[in-house]
Amino acid sequence: MATPQIRIIDGETITDRDMNEEELAAYKAVQDEAEAKAKAATDKATAKAALLDKLGITADEAALLLG
């Protein structure tokens, strides 16, 4: 895997370079957090669909019950 690039814009100068270790660690942390949030959202939607199926109602019917 190639090292991700970072773009530095300083006035009229644009420089592209490889991320250093600190920048790469921060980049990976953000990527891991986004991945975890996406997995949590998928898991929640799957659990919700399973519960609605178990109850035999639609999402609209559940909203009516809870609203």
Side-chain angles (χ1 to χ4, degrees), residues 39-65:
K39 184 178 180 331
T42 300
D43 290 348
K44 183 178 178 180
T46 301
K48 181 179 177 179
L51 178 61
L52 291 173
D53 189 47
K54 184 178 179 180
L55 294 173
I57 61 174
T58 66
D60 291 336
E61 291 169 335
L64 287 172
L65 288 173

Side-chain angles (χ1 to χ4, degrees), residues 2-17:
T3 303
Q5 297 282 304
I6 190 165
R7 176 166 282 172
I8 301 169
I9 302 172
D10 184 22
E12 294 180 12
T13 307
I14 299 174
T15 306
D16 291 331
R17 64 168 174 78

